[in-house]
Amino acid sequence: MSGSGCLRSLMLTVNQCHKPMFFHRYRLHFRTKPKPTSAINLRKHFRGSVVSLSLAEYSDAANTRVSDDYLVHQNEDGPKGIDLLHSMEARCIRANSQTYIWLLKGCLSSGSLLDARKLHSRILKLGFGGEYEISDLFVGVYLANGDSCSAVKVFDDLPYRSLLSWNNIIHGFLAKKLTGQVLGFFSRMVAENVRPDETTFAGVLRACGGGNASIQYVEQIHARIIRHCFGTSLLVCNPLIDLYAKNGSVDSAKKVFDKLNFRDSVSWVAIISGLSRNGREEEAVLLFIQMHTSGIFPTPYVFSSVISACAKIELFELGEQLQCLVFKGGFSCETYVCNALVTLYSRSGNFISAEQVFNTMWHRDGVSYNSLISGLAQCGFSDRALELFKKMQSDCMEPDCVTIASLLSACASVGYLYKGKQLHSYAIKAGMSSDIILEGSLLDLYVKCSDLQTAYEFFLTTETENVVLWNVMLVAYGQQDDLKESFHIFKQMHVEGMIPNQYTYPSILRTCTSVGALNLGEQVHTQAIKTGFQFNAYVCSVLIDMYAKHGKLDTALGILRRLTEDDVVSWTAMIAGYAQHDLFAEALLLFEEMQNRGIQSDNIGFSSAISSCAGIQALNQGRQIHAQTSISGYSNDLSVGNALVTLYARCGRIWEAYQAFEKIDVKDNISWNGLISGFGQSGYCEEALQVFSQMHRAGVEANLFTFGSAVSAAANLANIKQGEQIHAMVIKTGNNSEAEVSNALITLYSKCGSVDDAKREFIEMPEKNEISWNAMITGYSQHGHGIEALHLFEQMKQLGVVPSHVTFVGVLSACSHVGLVSEGLAYFESMSKEHGLVPKPEHYACVVDLLSRAGSLSQARKFITEMPIKPDSMIWRTLLSACIAKKNTEIGEVAARHLLELEPEDSATYVLISNMYAVTGMWGYRDQARQLMKERGVKKEPGRSWIEVKNSVHAFYVGDRLHPLANKIYEFLGDLNERAAEIGYVEDRNNLWNDMEQQHKDPTVYIHSEKLAIAFGLISLSNTIPIRVIKNLRVCNDCHNWIKHTSKISKRTIIVRDAYRFHHFKDGVCSCKDYW
């Protein structure tokens, strides 16, 4: 067959058209006889690819183009593309530029770098190297095959680089994820003044997403986009929104989104997912609603993002509604949508729905299992999480680091140490043990399971420089209050060059705070300053807490004032510090300042402020803060509820206290203690003991504070029987060795008149503190054992116990009760000279009482006038009382005038003035005092006495006839008076009434309440039981004398506690030795 015939045959097999054009453009010359058409197997060129060609591929290069519609099937048998050129040359067929373009595209699809290089060499030899389209293809081929150097060289050798050339090389590098080169070529492009288009910017923005560009660089790109008028192009703006969002510049992303004239689904996905990732979940949800109402149906990825946002901000109900839209849109089988739903239901605790979604998924991946396992672990369903792990393995799913970390967390929460160790072994076998997440979870497991030895050994095996692991070890030793090991870890961090973060310093500082190591804490503070954490809010909040708890409130306040941001934790730490040191007014002022700054308080701030109100009984302000807690959503918070219980209880609002108590869903010890201590401190001691009994019946375990409050309430009531029962409970629960409880018991027995029991409790204490010594000294003083009190004080000083203001009140009172004037004055002088204590008003009152009891009223008056502080009502009342006993109206009137100025509404003032005039027989002035009292509407507190008989407390008034046994009591009292008179008792008729008044009154109206109480006790109690009576006023001379004679004739011990002290009557003698 001739060459023409052969070619014609070839043409017919390809395409029957365009024959004239083909012959016109190509004149073929054959050196040898061409083979038949069948001999040229076009189907086996390019590694046997089956290629469908059009006639245009062999037409004129100017008029033909390579068709895009060809089918490629791999076959390893045929010759490579370069062989086609040899075959063509052998047949004297000359390849043109279109042929090379076609061959290069074949190399691009086959991935043969060697063929490309051979073709490149041949093209350069034949002079086609300068053609624009061929060079562009070579750039693409080289980039596709990883030869970026050759691609760049070809690009650089281009005689003319069009915008398409720049875009091709930029997107070629982008396809190979060579983002640095993309940005570099874009910089060249700008330098060469080539105007970029939408495609250019889209490629550059995607390259910036690879992490090689700062946000400032992105903003510069954005500026160029605006400059070139592409600010509303979806091709450019969609990746720009996504890029801004991924870099945390959500506001910038939102601005780009808002300026779009038209938004497609990609735009909505980018902004919604960006908002959700950056903590702007509420905005993401609102934007989704806007998208939905505008008629744009969400894509599965949008559903996934918005459901995740609902899970993060706990909009669980909305998330459930979104599931309905998911079903409606036919996306219920989409794995990542189902994963988001599993996470949503897991976080809401609705594991029935979570497992239902999980079980109905067509395809479950690792995220599906991790979402459910993590949710179960976080909610404490550790066993179910471990069962799901087994199912995951049975489904041939390989767990990843997140799976194992969640399971380790589950084991740690319930103390499954053995199972945790099995997971540790699995992680080692799977090669995951060095993962940074797993290392933290493993260390956390051993720490929470209290296996510190294994934790430390594992810590030593970790190789990654992970500061979190160091912090976990610091927390582990801190929880054990092991300051030595904590500091060893802290020092080792510095030795190994580990840079502490904001969590390192708080971990070690909390340990210093817990063990009271302020000096070491100050050193850590210095280190924090050196490393630049002095203004970190988290570090500062812990520093404020440390200094505040150690009493260095000025230092703590200085740190707060230097903070550059309004951190609520730091403010509440400072407020709590003031409250803990009883600086309640300062705490409330700071709380008010915090609110004025616009800082929303948390539960700690509210509870501290309410506690401060309780401390100063600021009921109205406490109610206002109570209202704020309800508005802020903290009305059900336990700490706030406990503070409210304390507030209302201490303010004597019994009903409101009970109401606040009942609102607490899960009551703890603090809830009960707040009610007990609050009632006790506000004077409602009976209610306090009732609550203590309720607590015991409810099976709530009492702690030290509970016992202390209950014992104090019993002491204030002088209820020795219930106090002894509480003491028995203290011994039974093993709390009898605790100083706080023993101190309360010493006070109990002292106030109940059992000073010997108080002394025994004091002696048996294994460790005594300052309060113990003070309680015993005060007890001795109240019972008239002044010498014993002073001996104990000297012993206290010899043991190195530093006396306080309370100590000296007891010491000075002891001197006053036994008439040790010179000793008392010497002790008063030693307060400031030897112990550095500035006397308070109560100390001056003790000195005035000391001098007045001794009859030195003029000296007492002089002492008052020379005092460095202004005398208060307590001091003048002490002087006036002494003037009544000594019948000194001159000095008494001076004291009376000052009292009327200071306390014009106090009934005791008028009673004292009236009595002063009565004892001196100045009846007219007495009547004037009573008339003044009546005109001012001041009511006198009546004298009242109490005695407990057979678990019931009986109260008596002067001349009381309301008692059921009144007749028997008065009959027995008459008999007592006769017997007392036989042994020398002479009744001192009430000298507060003149002769005329006494003649017109029933004699029984003069019988004081303590006589009635003692008579009732004598006829009601066994002979072996002491008579214990409490009176709210001072015992008068006649009653004191009568009780002495009664104790002698009845052969009973009678203990009377009046408003000033205890009187122990036995065998006709009083412990006060008639000096009171």
Side-chain angles (χ1 to χ4, degrees):
M1 183 182 292
S2 67
S4 304
C6 180
L7 186 57
R8 186 177 297 109
S9 176
L10 175 61
M11 290 167 54
L12 292 174
T13 61
V14 179
N15 199 324
Q16 297 295 323
C17 305
H18 301 96
K19 287 188 287 184
M21 180 182 294
F22 187 87
F23 285 109
H24 175 72
R25 297 299 296 173
Y26 291 95
R27 185 176 299 171
L28 302 180
H29 303 278
F30 297 101
R31 295 180 183 177
T32 59
K33 183 176 180 180
K35 296 180 180 179
T37 304
S38 59
I40 304 177
N41 190 355
L42 295 177
R43 296 178 179 272
K44 291 187 178 181
H45 288 297
F46 297 99
R47 299 184 182 176
S49 299
V50 178
V51 184
S52 299
L53 302 176
S54 67
L55 180 62
E57 291 171 348
Y58 287 93
S59 303
D60 190 328
N63 299 320
T64 60
R65 301 181 65 87
V66 178
S67 172
D68 290 332
D69 303 322
Y70 58 87
L71 178 65
V72 180
H73 297 287
Q74 293 296 330
N75 186 347
E76 296 297 332
D77 297 333
K80 296 182 180 180
I82 195 68
D83 296 334
L84 179 61
L85 292 176
H86 295 308
S87 299
M88 292 176 67
E89 289 176 355
R91 291 157 182 77
C92 298
I93 302 174
R94 182 183 178 186
N96 62 7
S97 59
Q98 193 66 38
T99 308
Y100 289 114
I101 290 172
W102 179 70
L103 291 173
L104 282 170
K105 288 185 178 180
C107 292
L108 191 62
S109 62
S110 66
S112 174
L113 181 60
L114 181 61
D115 278 359
R117 286 176 175 167
K118 290 180 179 180
L119 284 172
H120 196 183
S121 299
R122 183 172 293 275
I123 287 170
L124 291 175
K125 289 179 180 179
L126 296 175
F128 291 107
E131 293 201 13
Y132 164 75
E133 191 172 357
I134 291 176
S135 297
D136 271 351
L137 276 172
F138 269 120
V139 171
V141 169
Y142 282 131
L143 283 174
N145 288 281
D147 189 357
S148 58
C149 294
S150 298
V152 172
K153 188 175 185 308
V154 172
F155 181 82
D156 290 339
D157 291 340
L158 282 174
Y160 168 73
R161 290 184 287 274
S162 66
L163 177 60
L164 182 61
S165 306
W166 287 98
N167 286 342
N168 285 342
I169 195 167
I170 284 174
H171 283 271
F173 278 124
L174 185 63
K176 302 301 289 185
K177 298 183 180 179
L178 300 172
T179 56
Q181 286 85 337
V182 172
L183 300 181
F185 268 87
F186 178 71
S187 297
R188 280 185 58 185
M189 186 177 181
V190 172
E192 295 181 17
N193 294 321
V194 180
R195 182 182 177 86
D197 63 0
E198 294 174 296
T199 305
T200 313
F201 283 121
V204 171
L205 289 172
R206 288 188 172 87
C208 291
N212 290 329
S214 65
I215 190 63
Q216 291 79 10
Y217 184 80
V218 175
E219 290 171 345
Q220 292 174 10
I221 300 294
H222 188 186
R224 290 188 175 275
I225 290 170
I226 296 173
R227 180 182 174 186
H228 291 286
C229 302
F230 298 127
T232 58
S233 168
L234 288 178
L235 185 63
V236 176
C237 290
N238 285 347
L240 184 60
I241 293 169
D242 185 62
L243 188 57
Y244 271 134
K246 287 180 178 177
N247 281 276
S249 299
V250 189
D251 292 331
S252 298
K254 190 71 167 56
K255 288 179 181 178
V256 175
F257 177 82
D258 291 338
K259 289 181 180 179
L260 287 176
N261 297 323
F262 172 75
R263 304 179 183 107
D264 60 5
S265 60
V266 179
S267 313
W268 289 97
V269 168
I271 190 64
I272 291 174
S273 63
L275 289 168
S276 178
R277 285 196 305 266
N278 286 277
R280 308 266 285 267
E281 291 85 2
E282 290 185 9
E283 293 180 56
V285 172
L286 291 173
L287 209 58
F288 170 80
I289 296 172
Q290 180 184 343
M291 172 187 178
H292 184 63
T293 54
S294 63
I296 302 174
F297 198 82
T299 63
Y301 193 76
V302 170
F303 276 121
S304 174
S305 298
V306 75
I307 291 172
S308 298
C310 291
K312 291 176 185 177
I313 57 176
E314 300 183 356
L315 291 176
F316 302 126
E317 186 175 349
L318 179 60
E320 292 176 7
Q321 294 174 5
L322 288 173
Q323 187 180 9
C324 299
L325 288 177
V326 168
F327 277 107
K328 184 178 179 180
F331 302 133
S332 57
C333 298
E334 296 287 347
T335 301
Y336 44 92
V337 176
C338 292
N339 290 343
L341 286 169
V342 169
T343 303
L344 173 81
Y345 287 122
S346 297
R347 291 193 179 181
S348 68
N350 184 1
F351 287 102
I352 295 176
S353 298
E355 291 177 342
Q356 184 178 13
V357 174
F358 179 84
N359 292 330
T360 56
M361 290 177 67
W362 289 3
H363 173 69
R364 291 187 286 268
D365 57 9
V367 178
S368 313
Y369 279 96
N370 289 345
S371 298
L372 190 53
I373 289 173
S374 176
L376 291 168
Q378 290 175 3
C379 292
F381 298 105
S382 304
D383 292 330
R384 289 168 66 181
L386 293 170
E387 290 175 5
L388 190 61
F389 173 62
K390 293 179 181 178
K391 176 177 174 59
M392 181 180 186
Q393 290 178 306
S394 65
D395 287 349
C396 300
M397 294 290 298
E398 288 292 331
D400 57 11
C401 296
V402 176
T403 316
I404 304 300
S406 298
L407 292 168
L408 287 170
S409 175
C411 293
S413 64
V414 292
Y416 286 175
L417 180 60
Y418 180 73
K419 186 64 179 179
K421 287 183 176 181
Q422 290 181 325
L423 291 168
H424 189 177
S425 301
Y426 179 88
I428 294 173
K429 292 178 181 178
M432 295 186 291
S433 58
S434 60
D435 179 80
I436 189 170
I437 299 176
L438 270 186
E439 284 182 339
S441 298
L442 285 166
L443 195 59
D444 183 65
L445 166 76
Y446 293 123
V447 168
K448 287 184 177 178
C449 291
S450 301
D451 190 355
L452 291 189
Q453 182 61 35
T454 305
Y456 184 68
E457 291 172 358
F458 172 72
F459 172 73
L460 294 177
T461 63
T462 58
E463 298 179 358
T464 55
E465 295 182 355
N466 184 3
V467 70
V468 175
L469 303 181
W470 293 83
N471 292 344
V472 171
M473 290 306 301
L474 286 173
V475 171
Y477 287 118
Q479 289 173 347
Q480 302 294 322
D481 287 341
D482 193 339
L483 186 62
K484 180 180 177 181
E485 289 299 328
S486 292
F487 255 86
H488 171 71
I489 295 291
F490 185 68
K491 290 177 182 177
Q492 197 64 28
M493 284 186 69
H494 292 278
V495 171
E496 298 194 13
M498 289 296 300
I499 301 174
N501 62 10
Q502 62 174 341
Y503 302 104
T504 306
Y505 293 111
S507 300
I508 187 69
L509 285 169
R510 285 196 182 94
T511 308
C512 294
T513 304
S514 177
V515 301
L518 179 61
N519 291 335
L520 290 176
E522 290 175 330
Q523 294 177 27
V524 176
H525 185 187
T526 303
Q527 190 66 29
I529 294 172
K530 290 180 179 179
T531 51
F533 286 97
Q534 69 271 30
F535 298 118
N536 180 273
Y538 185 41
V539 175
C540 287
S541 66
V542 181
L543 283 168
I544 290 170
D545 181 66
M546 179 185 75
Y547 284 118
K549 285 182 177 176
H550 286 88
K552 300 192 73 172
L553 296 170
D554 291 338
T555 305
L557 185 61
I559 296 172
L560 179 68
R561 296 300 184 197
R562 288 191 293 271
L563 266 179
T564 56
E565 59 180 294
D566 291 334
D567 177 53
V568 64
V569 179
S570 301
W571 281 83
T572 54
M574 190 69 235
I575 293 168
Y578 277 133
Q580 288 164 5
H581 290 277
D582 296 341
L583 297 173
F584 304 121
E586 290 82 352
L588 291 173
L589 285 173
L590 197 65
F591 179 77
E592 184 178 356
E593 181 183 347
M594 181 181 75
Q595 290 187 311
N596 291 337
R597 284 173 171 257
I599 304 172
Q600 178 62 47
S601 179
D602 58 8
N603 58 332
I604 303 299
F606 279 124
S607 62
S608 299
I610 294 170
S611 298
S612 298
C613 292
I616 58 176
Q617 296 187 354
L619 180 61
N620 290 335
Q621 190 172 0
R623 283 171 170 167
Q624 293 174 7
I625 299 174
H626 184 182
Q628 292 179 29
T629 62
S630 300
I631 295 172
S632 302
Y634 291 110
S635 55
N636 295 324
D637 182 80
L638 179 61
S639 61
V640 172
N642 289 341
L644 287 170
V645 169
T646 303
L647 168 70
Y648 292 123
R650 288 190 182 179
C651 291
R653 301 288 176 169
I654 296 178
W655 182 83
E656 290 173 276
Y658 273 120
Q659 191 177 39
F661 180 77
E662 292 300 327
K663 283 185 178 180
I664 301 175
D665 294 330
V666 182
K667 302 173 181 65
D668 59 5
N669 279 334
I670 300 175
S671 312
W672 290 92
N673 292 344
L675 209 56
I676 295 169
S677 65
F679 283 153
Q681 292 176 18
S682 62
Y684 292 90
C685 298
E686 293 181 10
E687 287 78 5
L689 293 176
Q690 288 174 5
V691 174
F692 176 75
S693 299
Q694 291 174 14
M695 179 181 180
H696 182 64
R697 289 194 297 270
V700 180
E701 184 177 355
N703 58 16
L704 295 178
F705 191 82
T706 316
F707 287 124
S709 301
V711 169
S712 297
N716 291 333
L717 289 173
N719 190 336
I720 191 169
K721 183 173 292 185
Q722 192 160 1
E724 288 173 338
Q725 292 173 357
I726 299 171
H727 190 178
M729 294 176 63
V730 168
I731 296 172
K732 184 178 180 181
T733 55
N735 290 299
N736 53 315
S737 61
E738 298 293 339
E740 291 81 0
V741 177
S742 295
N743 294 340
L745 287 168
I746 293 170
T747 303
L748 165 73
Y749 290 122
S750 296
K751 287 188 175 182
C752 292
S754 300
V755 70
D756 292 335
D757 290 329
K759 179 182 177 181
R760 182 167 51 253
E761 183 67 27
F762 177 79
I763 293 172
E764 292 176 355
M765 287 183 69
E767 293 184 7
K768 303 175 181 66
N769 55 23
E770 175 199 326
I771 300 174
S772 313
W773 292 90
N774 291 344
M776 196 65 242
I777 290 172
T778 302
Y780 275 139
S781 174
Q782 290 174 340
H783 287 270
H785 300 298
I787 303 300
E788 290 87 343
L790 298 180
H791 286 165
L792 196 64
F793 175 64
E794 294 299 330
Q795 183 183 351
M796 172 184 178
K797 291 194 295 182
Q798 290 174 3
L799 293 174
V801 182
V802 180
S804 65
H805 287 91
V806 178
T807 314
F808 277 99
V809 170
V811 170
L812 294 173
S813 296
C815 294
S816 177
H817 289 158
V818 295
L820 299 176
V821 178
S822 58
E823 289 86 348
L825 293 174
Y827 282 124
F828 179 77
E829 292 293 327
S830 70
M831 283 186 67
S832 56
K833 292 181 178 179
E834 296 181 16
H835 304 287
L837 296 172
V838 179
K840 294 183 177 181
E842 54 265 33
H843 302 104
Y844 287 102
C846 287
V847 175
V848 172
D849 185 59
L850 174 69
L851 295 170
S852 300
R853 284 176 186 271
S856 302
L857 295 175
S858 298
Q859 188 179 352
R861 179 181 177 183
K862 181 182 178 183
F863 178 80
I864 293 174
T865 57
E866 294 176 352
M867 282 169 46
I869 64 173
K870 184 178 179 179
D872 61 6
S873 58
M874 177 173 54
I875 293 174
W876 290 115
R877 189 179 298 110
T878 301
L879 182 62
L880 180 57
S881 298
C883 289
I884 296 172
K886 305 301 179 183
K887 299 183 179 181
N888 189 324
T889 56
E890 180 184 355
I891 297 176
E893 286 177 344
V894 174
R897 283 195 297 270
H898 284 94
L899 269 177
L900 287 173
E901 291 176 1
L902 292 171
E903 294 183 348
E905 303 298 326
D906 184 19
S907 63
T909 301
Y910 298 93
V911 173
L912 289 173
I913 295 172
S914 174
N915 291 347
M916 179 184 67
Y917 289 122
V919 297
T920 56
M922 302 173 70
W923 305 110
Y925 289 109
R926 182 206 67 171
D927 294 340
Q928 290 179 13
R930 293 182 176 182
Q931 183 62 29
L932 180 64
M933 181 179 180
K934 184 177 181 180
E935 290 174 356
R936 293 185 175 181
V938 179
K939 294 184 179 180
K940 175 184 177 293
E941 180 185 6
R944 194 178 185 187
S945 297
W946 295 266
I947 184 172
E948 182 180 357
V949 174
K950 298 178 181 179
N951 298 324
S952 296
V953 177
H954 299 258
F956 294 89
Y957 291 95
V958 176
D960 194 350
R961 287 189 173 275
L962 298 176
H963 195 277
L965 299 178
N967 293 333
K968 187 175 182 180
I969 292 171
Y970 277 99
E971 182 182 351
F972 181 74
L973 190 58
D975 180 60
L976 275 178
N977 289 336
E978 290 179 2
R979 294 168 59 189
E982 292 176 358
I983 62 173
Y985 167 67
V986 178
E987 183 180 6
D988 182 7
R989 295 300 298 270
N990 197 328
N991 52 16
L992 300 182
W993 303 93
N994 59 36
D995 294 338
M996 184 72 67
E997 291 168 337
Q998 293 181 25
Q999 291 176 4
H1000 291 83
K1001 288 186 177 289
D1002 184 352
T1004 60
V1005 301
Y1006 303 118
I1007 299 177
H1008 285 183
S1009 59
E1010 57 265 44
K1011 287 185 179 181
L1012 297 173
I1014 292 171
F1016 174 67
L1018 289 172
I1019 63 176
S1020 304
L1021 295 174
S1022 169
N1023 293 336
T1024 58
I1025 300 176
I1027 306 297
R1028 301 178 188 273
V1029 174
I1030 301 173
K1031 185 175 182 181
N1032 63 336
L1033 302 177
R1034 183 176 179 178
V1035 176
C1036 69
N1037 290 334
D1038 177 66
C1039 289
H1040 190 271
N1041 189 29
W1042 179 85
I1043 299 171
K1044 286 195 301 180
H1045 286 83
T1046 301
S1047 69
K1048 186 175 182 178
I1049 61 177
S1050 64
K1051 298 180 181 180
R1052 302 284 292 273
T1053 298
I1054 302 174
I1055 303 169
V1056 177
R1057 183 180 119 185
D1058 67 6
Y1060 290 86
R1061 58 174 295 166
F1062 277 92
H1063 297 267
H1064 292 254
F1065 298 93
K1066 187 177 182 180
D1067 297 329
V1069 179
C1070 180
S1071 61
C1072 72
K1073 299 176 183 178
D1074 298 336
Y1075 187 90
W1076 81 99

